[in-house]
Amino acid sequence: MGKFWHKTLRQPFTLKRTFDTGEGDPVIFLHGIGRTASVWQHVIEGLSDSALRLVAFDLLGFGASPKPQWLEYNVDQHASAVIAGIERLGVSQPVILVGHSMGCLVSVRVARRRPDLVKHLVLYEMPLYEGLPETKRYKLRLDLYRKFYEKVIAYGPTFDDKKKMRMVERFGRKVIGFEVTPETWLPFIKSLENTIMKQAAVEDIQEIDTPMDAIYGTFDMFVIRGNLQQTIGTNSDHIVSHKLRVGHVISVRASRFLVERIKSAVVG
């Protein structure tokens, strides 16, 4: 019945709300690939004294949210579940949407599809791999990223090869911060292939005028810090870029900065 309801009738999935606290202007948090909503704990604690409703979803395939094996886990499927989740909150005003890594790609697709739902975007470590300057340095890094992603995807849809999985787990926790399990492995590799590698985020951003904070870490190995305004083109007056001395994870320092940007976005 579940497959018929969601695949045939195209009814959206219900995402798990790991956090749903407070009252006031709604702020929605979307985590990155291979993570859960728990990564936002420090940010949510930093906003606990604010008059805000703070909601953090587990994205499809991760945490306590549904993990259907037949999904492609592309950006539209992720975005549809988030849109349905926001609508179920019953909020009466547009939300501030905060994304990390893959959550940024989902956030901009949500803003493009439903601009009425999104007041402001706060995007931390957005992995844009299209529209970057044609330089040798960028091309080399993009090639390395793609080779690594393709190698991970080539491990296949199962978690049977324990030696390979231990390597992925160790590398992921140490460098990127993601964690994979037998239950989340298929959603992980499909999201990697169909949302991160086959992305259209540049086109999405070009089509929206939602105010946006784009935050990048100078020590991030997996996000290329190009000139976002140059990448997007002339329609970039609504974008403000920031740099922090952080890596790809949501560190305490990054959390403090995100708290500041979210409070600023509330004021508008």
Side-chain angles (χ1 to χ4, degrees):
M1 284 298 295
K3 187 173 182 179
F4 175 78
W5 181 252
H6 295 295
K7 186 174 184 179
T8 305
L9 299 183
R10 300 182 182 276
Q11 296 302 304
F13 289 92
T14 300
L15 299 179
K16 170 66 175 179
R17 299 179 210 167
T18 297
F19 296 98
D20 186 352
T21 183
E23 297 180 357
D25 292 352
V27 182
I28 311 299
F29 298 87
L30 305 181
H31 62 81
I33 188 170
R35 303 307 304 269
T36 70
S38 63
V39 299
W40 298 109
Q41 182 172 349
H42 291 309
V43 180
I44 289 173
E45 288 174 352
L47 292 166
S48 61
D49 62 346
S50 303
L52 300 171
R53 183 178 180 185
L54 308 171
V55 179
F57 291 116
D58 285 340
L59 292 176
L60 273 179
F62 303 104
S65 284
K67 303 171 183 64
Q69 301 294 291
W70 52 267
L71 268 188
E72 291 301 311
Y73 290 94
N74 58 44
V75 70
D76 271 313
Q77 290 171 341
H78 282 298
S80 292
V82 172
I83 290 169
I86 294 173
E87 291 178 331
R88 289 190 184 102
L89 295 177
V91 296
S92 60
Q93 60 196 97
V95 307
I96 296 170
L97 198 50
V98 185
H100 173 230
S101 193
M102 187 183 79
C104 299
L105 305 180
V106 178
S107 295
V108 296
R109 180 56 59 91
V110 170
R112 180 178 181 181
R113 286 177 49 179
R114 291 293 305 275
D116 59 304
L117 286 183
V118 184
K119 171 185 177 180
H120 196 108
L121 291 164
V122 179
L123 307 177
Y124 176 64
E125 306 291 18
M126 178 168 50
L128 282 184
Y129 296 152
E130 301 294 336
L132 295 168
E134 294 292 325
T135 66
K136 185 177 180 180
R137 177 168 64 93
Y138 282 122
K139 289 180 179 178
L140 177 62
R141 287 187 63 181
L142 281 174
D143 186 55
L144 289 173
Y145 294 163
R146 290 192 175 107
K147 286 181 178 178
F148 169 71
Y149 295 155
E150 288 166 0
K151 186 174 182 178
V152 171
I153 291 168
Y155 289 164
T158 65
F159 211 76
D160 295 335
D161 191 325
K162 293 182 179 179
K163 183 177 179 180
K164 289 180 178 178
M165 292 308 102
R166 283 196 298 270
M167 185 277 290
V168 172
E169 285 182 297
R170 286 197 301 268
F171 183 84
R173 281 196 297 265
K174 185 175 181 180
V175 178
I176 308 175
F178 62 62
E179 297 182 20
V180 292
T181 66
E183 189 180 26
T184 62
W185 176 246
L186 185 60
F188 175 83
I189 62 172
K190 284 189 172 182
S191 294
L192 179 60
E193 181 175 18
N194 296 324
T195 293
I196 293 180
M197 294 183 68
K198 297 176 182 176
Q199 62 176 258
V202 169
E203 180 183 330
D204 287 344
I205 296 171
Q206 289 172 335
E207 293 297 321
I208 63 177
D209 57 7
T210 307
M212 178 190 310
D213 284 285
I215 304 160
Y216 293 100
T218 56
F219 301 134
D220 192 335
M221 293 178 61
F222 275 79
V223 171
I224 298 176
R225 302 179 307 279
N227 184 323
L228 188 58
Q229 281 81 358
Q230 180 180 336
T231 300
I232 301 307
T234 56
N235 180 30
S236 62
D237 292 342
H238 59 293
I239 301 171
V240 180
S241 295
H242 312 268
K243 291 182 181 180
L244 292 180
R245 293 175 62 82
V246 294
H248 196 71
V249 298
I250 306 175
S251 64
V252 174
R253 173 182 289 183
S255 296
R256 288 197 295 263
F257 189 80
L258 286 165
V259 166
E260 294 175 6
R261 298 320 309 159
I262 292 166
K263 288 182 176 180
S264 177
V266 171
V267 176

